[in-house]
Each structure stands twice: as C-alpha cells, then as structure tokens.
Amino acid sequence: MTTFYKEVHKPDLLKYITYSEGKVLCNLAEKSKSKRSLNYSLSLVPFYAEFETGDYLCRKISQFNWNYGISTKGLTSADEYLKTQFNANGRKVILRNIRRLETCFNIRYELHYGSITDHSYTLLMNRLKSMINSRFQEKKERSKDIKEWDRIFESSKTKIRNKSASLFVIYNGEDPIEISLNYHFGRILFSSVSSFDTDYSKFGLGNIEIYKQLEWCIDNDYEFFEMGVGGMDYKRRWSNVISPYNHFIIYPNTLISKSLGVIEHTRVKFKEFLKSKKVNDFIYALIAKFNRMTIMSKRDLRYRLKKCDSGSNIKANYSSEKEIHLEDYHFLKRPVYDFLYLTQEHLSSITILELEPERKYLLISEKNSYELYFEYT
C-alpha cells in the first residue's frame, strides 16, 4: 500500500486505521498536522485497512489490481505452510533449492531491523539497485522502482532504525546475493522492493527469500506477509490470500470539496473500467516492446556443459593449462554456479582451467568434471 508503507502524502488527519478483525493499527489524530480543507485520493489500499474519517466523506472503489499475501494465523512453521499450499513436487523444488544453495556456498540470512550502520546501508542499497538494473537489463525492460530510487534511498535508512522498515539479505560469505526492502506496519510485513544476483538464477532465490521471511513472520508473531501488487506466478503460488485493492477518496463535507470528490470518483471509476477491459495491458505491452527496442544490451552469451570421463588423473592430463580464479572472470560465474547446482558440490572444491580464452573451460571437482563451451550471438 504505497500511501502508508512508503508515507507519500500520508493523510494524518485520519483518526486511525484498523486491520485484522478491528484492531487499531495506529492512532493518527494525535499527530494531525494536515489542513482540514485537503482532499485525498488513496490508491492500492489493501483489504485489511479501513479508515475512520470522522466528519470527512469517504468513497471506496474496488480496483482491478490484486493484493497477494500470506495469512500466518495458526501457522507454526514455514514447512507446515508448504504442506498446505504446495503439492509434493512444488515443496520438493523449494526445499531442494534451499539445500543446494546452502551446500554450494557459505550462506547466511540476516534481517537488518532496528539498527544499521551508514556504511552497511549504503552498500546494501547500492547493491540492491545494481541487482535491479542487471535483472531488468536481462529482461530488456525498465524498472519502476529505479525511477523513484532517490526517494527510496533517502527515506529507508531512518525507517530501518525506527523499525518501520527492514532489509532482508541472503549473503554468500560477505557478498549480498538477494535483498528485500520491507515495510513493517503493526503485525504486517510488506515486501516492497527486492531483487537478486542473476548469476544465482538456478537456485530460485526469490522463493528462498519468501520462505525465510515467512519463517521470520511466524517466529515474530506477525499476522500477514504481504507481497504487494502485481500478478506474478510465484506470488499466486505462495499466496493464501488474494484480494482486490481498494481506492479511497476522502474529502471534507463542503461544496467545493464534494464537487472535487465527485470528479475524482468519476476519473478513478473510468480508469478502473479501462483496466477491466484490459486496455492498460495493451498499453503496457506496447511500452514494454518499445523499451526492449530502445534498451541497449550486451551481446548474448550462451554456454553449455558437457560431462567428461572423470579419470583419477584428469588434472594431470591438463597440467599445462592455466588455472583461473572465479573472482577475476565474472562472466564465468553463472555457468560455474549452474555446475555447482548440478553436482551439489561446494564452490571451494572447484578447479577451473582455461582451455581456450572466452571459449572453452574445464570445471573439475572431486567427483565430477565438465567441459564448458561458450557461444556468442
């Protein structure tokens, strides 16, 4: 919910907001600084938020944007939730990815919540921005979050320190490989902006992030884990609550404000009508196509792995070849990590030999050996 989680033009005049069977989430009347003449048009308000507006008038419009989330009421563990939400194969894939990630790398999970140093904050936010850019560059699309990044960066550090926001991070050693910026609202965790290092794509870091954050919500008595707007497949699979967002139009009971309220109500209703007819989908598809045409991308890099006969003297057979270190050859990371996923071995056990620069490499572990071939298009 953009208005309250991100605090953009927050309507402090409202007495309070309720959620979860009538519980008071926060009392806003005591800190009201708003002018009584203001009108408010609040989009993407989730089902659990209701307002008591006092002598203000309020109109609510159901939107054609869907809210995806997990109600944690009655849950004792994330594994328990997997059993009720996914079939056997779905559970197997998620748990397998977690095991393989933790087998292949030195993985730790950390939630920065309540305190964070200036250095860590800047490092993590810059890393998150870089991962968003890289991921959308691969998709040849543009990110909406990057357009408002300066505002997100400037406001989030204070929110983390006062426990109204957090940064969930998956680390490989000291390297952040997945980051989620969350907002905290009462007993609700809202995952707002997240991304991951695409070199680890094979491991399904998005699903691992949800699993680990769900664990945190359950352990800390949170009632709802919200994944926000947008009907991506992974959100549908994880969500046990899917409901439309609402648009609230709130205004004083005066002639001018009522007239402006009616105009805004008509505008929003027409906009939602266009959404219901999928006009916006057509427009977004055109914009996406234009973006793919205008965004410059590097030449595509394709590779394949071919298993070798693993004789005991395979290293000896290639003793004259150059041994390289992965940190100096960034373009090798994804294929090497794919190799680790396939063989379920730790990164530290891998030897990489360069057979032909930028074309052919040999990956050797204690149990497996694969030739790696590159093709450029």
Side-chain angles (χ1 to χ4, degrees):
M1 180 169 59
T2 299
T3 301
F4 291 98
Y5 289 121
K6 299 181 181 178
E7 296 186 8
V8 179
H9 307 306
K10 186 173 180 177
D12 288 341
L13 59 91
L14 302 179
K15 287 187 175 180
Y16 57 78
I17 305 162
T18 63
Y19 81 110
S20 183
E21 301 174 358
K23 294 180 181 177
V24 176
L25 192 58
C26 57
N27 190 320
L28 299 174
E30 296 177 359
K31 58 179 181 179
S32 174
K33 298 179 181 178
S34 303
K35 296 180 179 180
R36 300 293 287 175
S37 60
L38 292 180
N39 286 31
Y40 295 94
S41 184
L42 312 177
S43 64
L44 300 179
V45 179
F47 70 94
Y48 51 77
E50 293 290 342
F51 309 134
E52 182 170 314
T53 58
D55 56 356
Y56 273 59
L57 302 178
C58 180
R59 293 184 177 219
K60 182 170 75 171
I61 302 167
S62 182
Q63 295 187 259
F64 284 86
N65 300 92
W66 294 86
N67 172 272
Y68 296 86
I70 302 172
S71 172
T72 62
K73 292 180 181 178
L75 292 180
T76 59
S77 70
D79 286 340
E80 175 193 353
Y81 184 71
L82 289 183
K83 292 177 182 178
T84 61
Q85 189 68 18
F86 294 87
N87 60 27
N89 187 61
R91 295 194 300 272
K92 180 181 178 181
V93 170
I94 294 169
L95 295 176
R96 179 184 65 199
N97 285 347
I98 294 173
R99 286 194 303 272
R100 292 195 181 186
L101 181 69
E102 295 175 352
T103 296
C104 298
F105 306 100
N106 300 322
I107 296 297
R108 62 187 175 91
Y109 309 94
E110 187 171 349
L111 188 76
H112 297 271
Y113 179 52
S115 66
I116 191 168
T117 65
D118 291 348
H119 174 75
S120 293
Y121 177 77
T122 301
L123 185 151
L124 290 173
M125 291 298 284
N126 287 344
R127 180 76 164 119
L128 175 57
K129 181 181 180 181
S130 174
M131 290 192 294
I132 292 171
N133 281 329
S134 295
R135 189 178 177 196
F136 276 82
Q137 181 79 15
E138 285 195 3
K139 297 193 295 182
K140 297 183 175 64
E141 297 178 3
R142 299 185 190 276
S143 166
K144 295 179 182 178
D145 294 316
I146 294 301
K147 293 180 181 179
E148 54 176 330
W149 189 258
D150 289 344
R151 181 194 62 76
I152 294 172
F153 183 88
E154 290 300 321
S155 63
S156 297
K157 181 167 60 177
T158 299
K159 288 180 170 59
I160 292 171
R161 289 173 175 171
N162 65 25
K163 293 191 173 183
S164 59
S166 64
L167 280 170
F168 171 79
V169 187
I170 302 177
Y171 290 93
N172 173 15
E174 296 303 316
D175 182 28
I177 63 173
E178 199 283 339
I179 302 174
S180 174
L181 173 63
N182 310 309
Y183 295 105
H184 297 247
F185 208 54
R187 291 297 174 184
I188 298 169
L189 181 70
F190 173 51
S191 179
S192 177
V193 183
S194 63
S195 194
F196 59 88
D197 187 331
T198 55
D199 288 335
Y200 297 79
S201 294
K202 201 78 170 178
F203 292 87
L205 293 181
N207 284 321
I208 296 175
E209 174 220 313
I210 294 175
Y211 180 91
K212 291 298 179 179
Q213 295 219 88
L214 176 59
E215 274 190 335
W216 187 91
C217 287
I218 294 170
D219 291 342
N220 289 273
D221 298 322
Y222 271 52
E223 296 185 3
F224 196 70
F225 176 28
E226 180 173 341
M227 290 175 278
V229 68
M232 300 178 190
D233 285 342
Y234 78 93
K235 290 184 181 181
R236 293 191 184 96
R237 291 193 297 270
W238 275 98
S239 296
N240 61 7
V241 177
I242 301 176
S243 64
Y245 280 100
N246 295 308
H247 192 117
F248 282 82
I249 301 169
I250 304 168
Y251 48 90
N253 189 9
T254 65
L255 180 59
I256 294 177
S257 293
K258 287 167 70 175
S259 299
L260 293 173
V262 169
I263 293 172
E264 177 66 2
H265 181 267
T266 302
R267 184 192 72 83
V268 174
K269 286 285 287 186
F270 180 67
K271 182 179 178 181
E272 296 305 321
F273 170 77
L274 294 179
K275 288 182 185 177
S276 71
K277 300 302 180 183
K278 300 188 182 300
V279 174
N280 61 317
D281 291 345
F282 175 72
I283 294 173
Y284 292 152
L286 287 179
I287 294 173
K289 183 176 181 179
F290 175 77
N291 286 340
R292 286 192 292 271
M293 293 172 61
T294 57
I295 294 176
M296 299 298 293
S297 63
K298 300 176 182 178
R299 60 178 179 167
D300 291 330
L301 182 64
R302 298 182 181 180
Y303 57 86
R304 57 189 175 92
L305 290 164
K306 179 182 178 182
K307 188 172 178 60
C308 302
D309 294 330
S310 298
S312 58
N313 61 344
I314 189 166
K315 281 189 178 181
N317 295 338
Y318 291 91
S319 59
S320 62
E321 306 299 339
K322 177 183 177 183
E323 182 175 344
I324 64 174
H325 301 287
L326 194 58
E327 57 268 23
D328 299 324
Y329 291 76
H330 186 272
F331 70 96
L332 287 177
K333 285 188 174 181
R334 185 177 296 187
V336 170
Y337 294 166
D338 287 356
F339 168 76
L340 295 177
Y341 183 89
L342 181 67
T343 61
Q344 302 178 57
E345 296 181 270
H346 195 276
L347 178 60
S348 61
S349 69
I350 306 301
T351 298
I352 306 173
L353 301 180
E354 186 177 66
L355 306 183
E356 183 181 342
E358 297 190 11
R359 291 287 179 182
K360 186 176 179 182
Y361 297 83
L362 184 65
L363 310 180
I364 306 171
S365 67
E366 292 181 3
K367 301 177 181 178
N368 297 278
S369 299
Y370 278 75
E371 288 184 335
L372 169 63
Y373 301 89
F374 283 98
E375 299 174 353
Y376 295 91
T377 58

